Amino acid sequence: MRVLQFPLIKITGCFVFGLLLAHYIKPPFFVALIALIISFIAVIITYIIPRKTIIPKNHFGIATFLAAFLIGVFTFVSNNQTRNKLHYIHFISTQKKNYTATITLKEKLKNTTVNYRYVAQMITLNGKESYGKVLLNLKKNPFIPTLEIGTILKVKGSFYKNRNPNNPNQFDYGNYLENQQIYGQLYVKPSDIQVGSFTDKGIAYHASLLRNRIIRNLEKNHFHKTELNVVVALLLGQQQDISPEVVKDYQYAGAVHVLSVSGLHVGFILLFITFLLRPFPNTRTGSIVKLIIVITFLWAFGILAGLAPSVVRSVTMFSFVAIGMYLRRSINIYNTLAVSALLILLFQPSFLFDVGFQLSYVALYFIVWLQPFLASAWNPKYIILRQFWEIITVSFAAQIGTLPMSIYYFHQFPGLFFVTNIVILPGMSLILGLGVIVMFLAALDWVWMPLLKSLECCIWALNKIIAWVASFENFVFKDIPLHYFSMWGLYLVIFSSFIWMKKPSYRKFIATLFALIILQIIAITIKYTNEKAEEFIIFNKQRTSIFTKRIGDKVTVFTSENLEKNANANLVLKSYLVANYCSIQKKKNIPNLLYFKNKKILVIDSSGAYLEKERPDILLLINSPKINLERVFQNWKPQKVVVDASNYKSYCKIWKATCVKEKIPFHDTAEKGFFKL
C-alpha cells in the first residue's frame, strides 16, 4: 500500500504500537526511560556517523522507528497518574468506606435516573493532600443549587474503587473509566456537600460559563427543549440532556455521528471563518494573520465544545489543513491524519482506547482511501446527481471502514444509513450555518427571533426525518455476534479485496483468497471452541435470581422471573448470549438441587427448606432465607458458599462472617460479580 510509504505514517504506527505494548505489559517507569535514552543515542550515532562507514544507511531509519516505538511506551507509562505517590488510589484501603474529600468539578456528564454526575479533580482526601480524577455521583435533589465547572466542594460520602463487570460479557465500565485516568467513584448525598468560597477559574470554567449563557438565552426565548438539546449537542458538544429516545432514533437511522462534534462540524467552521476572512489581503502578512485567526477560532470552538476526543481530533487535523491552505503548501491528507493522531496521543495517550476516537479515525481513513475508488464507478452528467453520488460514496466508504468495529462494539448495524445521509447531509450546512450565527448572538446576550425560529424548525424537521428512518426497525440488524479476532479477519478481507479491485493482479487475487481462508479458519475455530464450552453461571441482578447452564451453543435458564416481562433481566442475558454465539433452549424454575459436571449445587430460597441428607459441593443462597449457617455447617460443610443479589445485604454480612469463621470460601455476587463454574 502506497500509504505506508510516508515516513510519518510509519513513525505514528510505531508510536501507537508502543502505546499498546505499554498498556498491556505495563513496564516500570525507569525501564521505559532508560530504553528511550538508549534509543535516542542510537538515533544520534546512526545519523552522525558518515553513511559510507560500516553502519548501513537503513540503520538510521530502523533506529528512528525504534525510538518512536519507545516514545510511545514512555508516553503511556509517564501519563499513568497512579505513579504519583499522592494519588488517592494509594490511600483507599477498602472497597467501600466513608471518606471526606475536597474536589474541583472539571466536567459535567450525563445524569442517571438517581444521580447528577461529574468528573472531579481530587485536592485532599481525609484532610491530606491528594491527587487524581474521580467520578462524583451526587444524589438528585431539586433544592441543590446549580454547580458550575470549577466549583470547589468539600464532600463526605462512600468511595468505590472501579470493579470488574457484574455479569459476563457486560460492558466493562471500570476499564473504560481507567482509560480516562479515573480509578474510583464518590457517592454523595446533597446534605453532605459544602460549596467552597473559591472557584478554579481556568479555561474549562470560562467555557462552561459561556455555554450556560448561550443555553439560558435560548431557553428564555422559548427554544423548544427537545430541539435545544440537539442543537447543544451539534454545536457545543454537550450530549448530557438528549433524551434516550432521540439518541436511539439517531442510532437506528445511522446518524449518531451527527450528534457528536466531529470533522463535519469543524470542517464547516473552517470554511465559514475562511469565507468571513476573504476581505483580508492575500499578502504574506495577511495570510499569517488569517492563519492565526482561523486556528484561534478553531481551538476556541474546541474548548467551547468540551475538548472531547472527536473534537480534539477534528480541530487538530483541520488546524494542519489550515496551515497548509494559508501557507500555500500542498496538503497530504495521510500525513495530516498521522500528525494529528501523533500530537493528540502524545498529550492524551488514553484517547487511543476511546471508541469514538477509533471510529472517527477509521472512518476518515476509509473516506480518504476508498471514496475516490467508489466515486469512479459512475460519473453522472448533472451536478445534482454528482453531489448525491459523492454523498453516497462518502457514506459507504465510512460505513465499510467502521462496519467490523461497530459490530464488535455495539452488535448492530443500521441498514438505512445511506438513506439518512442522502437526506440530512445536504441540509446540515444550513443547520450548522444558522446554528453558528444563533450561538454567536446568544453569547452576546442577543437573540434574533426569525433566526432562532428558523433554526428550531430545521432541527424539528431533522428529528422527524431521523425518527421516520429509524421507524423501519426491520432494517436495523441487531444482536450480531462478532469475536475480536473475527473483527481483524474482516478488516484483512476488506483491505485485500479493495487493493485487488483497485489494480487487479494475480498476486493480489491470491492474497484476497488467503485473507478469506484466514477469516474462515477464525470462524471455524470460534465455532468449535463454543461447541465444546460447558459452564454454569450465577448472574448478578438486584432482587432477581438468574442462573444459566450452557452446553455448547444451547443455554438453559433457571429463574423465577418472567424474562419476557422483565426487560432488565433479559438485557443481562442478551449480552452473554450474543457474545458467546448461543441461544436459550429451555427456561425452568429454580429447583432445590442442581448438577453440573461433577458438582452438586444445593439451592436454599426464602422458604429456608433444604435437603438435609444431601452433601452439596456448593451451597447457593437466594431470596434471603432465614437460616443459621453455623447450624447447617454442623452436619456438613460445602466447598463454597455463593449468594446472589436477591438477598438482603445484612444477611450477606452475617453469612460472610460465618464462612470466614468456618474457613469456607464465600462469593457474594454483589461484591465480586457473577460466579462461574
Side-chain angles (χ1 to χ4, degrees), residues 438-485:
V438 169
M439 296 291 169
F440 179 74
L441 295 176
L444 300 176
D445 293 326
W446 186 67
V447 173
W448 190 35
M449 290 305 294
L451 272 180
L452 183 75
K453 289 303 176 183
S454 298
L455 178 61
E456 186 179 356
C457 289
C458 288
I459 298 297
W460 177 84
L462 174 67
N463 287 343
K464 289 297 181 184
I465 292 169
I466 294 294
W468 174 73
V469 176
S471 66
F472 297 95
E473 289 197 30
N474 290 335
F475 291 94
V476 181
F477 305 103
K478 305 174 189 175
D479 303 331
I480 308 171
L482 189 68
H483 194 273
Y484 178 77
F485 291 113

Side-chain angles (χ1 to χ4, degrees), residues 268-281 290 293-294 297 326 433 436-437 440:
F268 176 81
I269 297 294
L270 174 62
L271 293 175
F272 186 69
I273 298 170
T274 302
F275 173 76
L276 295 178
L277 294 177
R278 288 182 67 181
F280 272 73
K290 285 196 285 187
I293 293 172
V294 166
F297 269 92
Y326 282 103
V436 168
I437 297 170
F440 179 74

Side-chain angles (χ1 to χ4, degrees), residues 41-258:
I41 294 171
V43 170
I44 293 169
I45 291 173
T46 54
Y47 180 78
I48 292 176
I49 294 179
R51 301 288 176 86
K52 294 182 181 180
T53 60
I54 55 173
I55 298 179
K57 183 178 178 181
N58 62 349
H59 278 203
F60 172 71
I62 294 171
T64 302
F65 296 140
L66 179 62
F69 172 80
L70 292 172
I71 289 172
V73 173
F74 181 75
T75 299
F76 187 88
V77 172
S78 61
N79 273 272
N80 183 1
Q81 295 182 359
T82 58
R83 287 192 313 105
N84 192 322
K85 292 180 180 179
L86 295 177
H87 197 280
Y88 64 79
I89 201 72
H90 303 300
F91 307 135
I92 306 300
S93 57
T94 59
Q95 186 70 16
K96 179 184 178 182
K97 187 179 177 182
N98 286 333
Y99 287 87
T100 301
T102 307
I103 57 176
T104 304
L105 301 184
K106 290 294 184 183
E107 182 183 352
K108 180 76 173 71
L109 301 179
K110 192 176 183 68
N111 300 328
T112 65
T113 54
V114 179
N115 298 311
Y116 300 113
R117 298 166 72 241
Y118 298 86
V119 174
Q121 183 71 34
M122 191 76 75
I123 301 174
T124 65
L125 185 64
N126 285 348
K128 296 180 181 179
E129 184 183 356
S130 190
Y131 174 77
K133 290 197 295 183
V134 66
L135 191 63
L136 174 66
N137 296 271
L138 180 59
K139 195 166 184 179
K140 285 186 176 179
N141 189 313
F143 301 107
I144 296 178
T146 302
L147 298 175
E148 299 286 355
I149 299 303
T151 302
I152 296 176
L153 300 175
K154 186 174 182 180
V155 301
K156 183 179 180 181
S158 302
F159 195 101
Y160 290 83
K161 288 182 181 180
N162 294 339
R163 54 178 290 176
N164 294 327
N166 286 328
N167 291 298
N169 308 111
Q170 198 176 46
F171 173 65
D172 194 342
Y173 190 60
N175 182 61
Y176 168 79
L177 289 178
E178 289 188 8
N179 286 333
Q180 314 303 315
Q181 300 279 2
I182 299 171
Y183 295 90
Q185 300 190 50
L186 271 169
Y187 286 82
V188 180
K189 297 177 182 178
S191 58
D192 291 329
I193 67 168
Q194 295 178 16
V195 179
S197 56
F198 296 98
T199 303
D200 181 9
K201 296 185 178 180
I203 294 176
Y205 167 78
H206 292 288
S208 176
L209 283 183
L210 184 57
R211 281 198 301 269
N212 291 338
R213 182 198 299 175
I214 291 170
I215 294 169
R216 279 196 302 268
N217 285 330
L218 296 179
E219 286 176 337
K220 281 193 297 185
N221 287 274
H222 308 292
F223 203 114
H224 193 271
K225 188 67 176 176
T226 302
E227 283 72 39
L228 175 61
N229 291 338
V230 173
V231 168
V232 170
L234 278 171
L235 289 159
L236 301 181
Q238 307 301 303
Q239 303 179 36
Q240 298 94 331
D241 297 321
I242 299 181
S243 68
E245 293 76 18
V246 172
V247 173
K248 182 180 176 182
D249 285 343
Y250 276 79
Q251 288 174 340
Y252 282 7
V256 73
H257 60 280
V258 172

Side-chain angles (χ1 to χ4, degrees), residues 19 21 84 91 202 256 354 404 452 460 477 497 524 570 649 677:
L19 292 178
L21 179 73
N84 192 322
F91 307 135
V256 73
D354 182 271
L452 183 75
W460 177 84
F477 305 103
S497 299
I524 292 169
N570 209 4
K649 291 182 180 179
L677 285 173

Side-chain angles (χ1 to χ4, degrees), residues 541-568:
K541 184 74 186 73
Q542 251 186 342
R543 297 184 294 276
T544 306
S545 293
I546 304 176
F547 321 140
T548 58
K549 184 164 73 172
R550 175 186 167 204
I551 308 295
D553 61 349
K554 302 292 189 297
V555 173
T556 301
V557 178
F558 300 93
T559 181
S560 55
E561 294 286 330
N562 187 328
L563 294 179
E564 282 72 21
K565 293 182 179 179
N566 191 332
N568 289 330

